[in-house]
Amino acid sequence: MAWEERERPKSSAAGQDPTRMRLNRLPDEREENRGGGTEGDLTVDDQDLAAVGNSAFELFEGLGNHGRDAWSSSQTAAKDLTAQEFELGGDSTAARVLRTVAEQTDHGFSGVSYKDRDSAAEAMRRADDLAKLAKHPEKMSGAELKEFNETLAKYKDDQLFSARFATQLGAGGTLRFWTEMADLHMGARDGELKWMEEFQKNLSMTLATATLSDTDAMQSWKKDLVDQSNKNFVSGAVSVPGRTVGAYGHQVISGLMHHGKYDAEFLDAYGKQLLKQDMAPAGAPGIGSKGLWRGDNHQLTDLVFGKGDGRDPLVGFMGALSHSPEAATNTFDDRKVLEHVLESAKYTDRDTAVGRAPEAAVMGVGAGEKPDGPAPHTATQVGIMKNVTHMVAQPGGGSDLVGKGLGDSFGNMASAYVPEISRAMAGKGAESIFLTDSALPDGLDKTDVTRFLYEVAQDTDGRAGIVLGQSVYTSSLMEAHIANPSLYDGGPAEAVRTVSESAGVIQGVVGHANADAAIAGELASEKDQNDALKTKGDLFKGIAGAGIGVAAAAFVPQTMVGGVIGASAGGYFGGVAGTAIDRLMEGRQAQGALDQIRDAVKDGWVDSDSILEDAHARPAA
């Protein structure tokens, strides 16, 4: 039924002054004494209201699922039930559910979906119950704590529940709740520790989901949370004589950011304030972070159950960015911020957390995600990657960063940027050979890239990333050029030779790094290197430089990782390239192609000597 048709009965009834349409209201005493009349003729009983409420709810849900283009009309329709002469009564379940769902977003349907009104009402009721319990965590029984955690686990991905819980508890109440919970369970061990880790994870994911809501109430909650980030929260749940410092808002908030995908705009706002404080101390980039968040010896609260104590809020914030590539890209688009964060790893215990966030920024893939395929790099992402390679390339600085646990992340970044790296190493004239759909394919610097690969290859996990990324990309290129000879004017044979030589250069850089690590006594065992390759296998089937931007299937077979591991330490590319050639050619033709590939790879390896010498002789670009 068209909206205008639904409006006519309402308008007609509204015109019969003083009659007003009223749902879920009983006639008052004056109406009964009048003995009838027009006013009150439209009053319905509760049973009728239930049917009306369910019908209205189903209409709203139906429009949400099947008529996204009509969102504004349906939202207006829902809100009109409480305005324009309709009254639903303050205690109406239908009214509360419809109003809450309608307010979930200012920009279309929120994705909130329930099979019926009662399911939505139950979610809201459970959220209200938990918010009430959270105001006095010291009074919760063991059974209530168990039910609290089970409810969070059930509804942690539900926007309606999550936003309701957060707003009912309030920003300050949320921070106070976790401060007191952490205090009550300080020193947890064994089963209690494991249980609290799960509880913290479920609470974190619930709050992350809540931030995705666009309601006015949630917008205020997010703003209030940021505003209270410097407030001192002293737990009253446990009496500690003389304690004046509990935990600061930044520490509490970040302690709840290790899990879940927070709203990017919220992370932008929170991050600006936190980073401003972290970067405030004078001195070289990153050095001021040393001891910044551990200055008060009276602070006792441990805000993280598991690894770490939560005192350094940047660790939790980096965790949040690692799950939100959009926010990570926004954050590290500022070169000073990127430099500060990476350099701070040298002076703090931030380690891997500092690597995962920039990794998400340049790759566009959140930690733990398994992408369907490679996504084209934006110009902003390539710009961030250029800054990363430059910082790692600095003499005396890159090895320190790799050695602080960042080598794994740097290797992942290298794998995703093999197309741009190959273009940088090959120079001008090879654009139609090294195919890519990157928005800035020539955005990296050759000297920086050479040093970057050399430093990262000395880390076991970093080397695995380079090896797998290079293998997938170069094999994909071979398949593309052989299957589509028109891609390069010089023909597929010349294209394959150039690709092979480029692979030999990168292989040579990695080989020299391995040799130097062996001389220094730091080379990992063959088993460790193979284990690192196996660990990365699934990840690189989805992201490693296979985005060549042409209509050719990327060469990423299920046996790729095994093929790479089976190759010799100095010939990983040849093993995988051989498999690619075998798939595309037969007999003598294949053998001849492989001979040419081996010769080209050797040429590239020889060239890597002079390239490395030149890169180390010149200052980083």
Side-chain angles (χ1 to χ4, degrees), residues 166-178:
T167 54
Q168 289 296 100
L169 188 54
T174 302
L175 298 178
R176 191 172 298 107
F177 168 59
W178 185 243

Side-chain angles (χ1 to χ4, degrees), residues 512-577:
H512 283 296
N514 266 11
D516 291 347
I519 292 172
E522 298 173 354
L523 180 64
S525 69
E526 183 177 349
K527 180 180 183 301
D528 289 339
Q529 295 192 49
N530 287 344
D531 287 344
L533 287 167
K534 289 178 182 178
T535 300
K536 288 184 180 290
D538 289 338
L539 173 67
F540 287 96
K541 288 173 186 176
I543 63 172
I548 57 179
V550 298
F555 175 66
V556 193
Q558 292 296 315
T559 57
M560 178 197 71
V561 179
V564 174
I565 294 173
S568 65
Y572 66 86
F573 172 69
V576 178

Side-chain angles (χ1 to χ4, degrees), residues 186-362:
M186 191 189 321
R189 296 180 180 179
D190 302 327
E192 183 187 9
L193 176 59
K194 184 177 179 180
W195 189 89
M196 283 304 299
E197 285 185 74
E198 181 187 358
F199 188 97
Q200 184 169 14
K201 179 179 179 180
N202 290 331
L203 177 60
S204 300
M205 295 182 73
T206 299
L207 296 177
T209 300
T211 64
L212 303 178
S213 172
D214 288 327
T215 65
D216 291 341
M218 272 308 302
Q219 294 287 11
S220 295
W221 184 90
K222 287 181 274 191
K223 182 180 182 301
D224 290 346
L225 201 71
V226 174
D227 289 344
Q228 296 191 52
S229 55
N230 282 316
K231 183 177 178 180
N232 177 24
F233 288 86
V234 180
S235 170
V238 178
S239 177
V240 179
R243 179 167 66 171
T244 58
V245 177
Y248 291 100
H250 274 134
Q251 297 169 314
V252 185
I253 298 169
S254 292
L256 294 170
M257 283 187 164
H258 293 272
H259 302 280
K261 188 173 183 177
Y262 279 80
D263 174 64
E265 289 185 9
F266 167 69
L267 290 178
D268 289 345
Y270 175 67
K272 285 178 182 177
Q273 187 174 107
L274 174 60
L275 286 164
K276 181 179 179 181
Q277 194 164 337
D278 200 68
M279 296 170 69
I287 195 170
S289 300
K290 183 178 181 180
L292 178 64
W293 302 101
R294 299 177 179 277
D296 199 318
N297 293 326
H298 297 290
Q299 184 178 350
L300 301 176
T301 305
D302 184 339
L303 295 159
V304 175
F305 290 89
K307 184 180 179 181
D309 57 20
R311 291 192 184 184
D312 185 345
L314 210 75
V315 174
F317 178 59
M318 289 296 111
L321 292 184
S322 74
H323 293 103
S324 179
E326 179 185 352
T329 301
N330 294 341
T331 298
F332 295 115
D333 190 26
D334 186 329
R335 179 170 177 164
K336 289 184 178 179
V337 170
L338 176 64
E339 184 178 19
H340 168 81
V341 170
L342 288 180
E343 289 292 319
S344 72
K346 299 177 182 178
Y347 311 104
T348 65
D349 296 326
R350 291 170 179 175
D351 300 342
T352 57
V354 168
R356 298 301 179 207
E359 180 183 335
V362 301

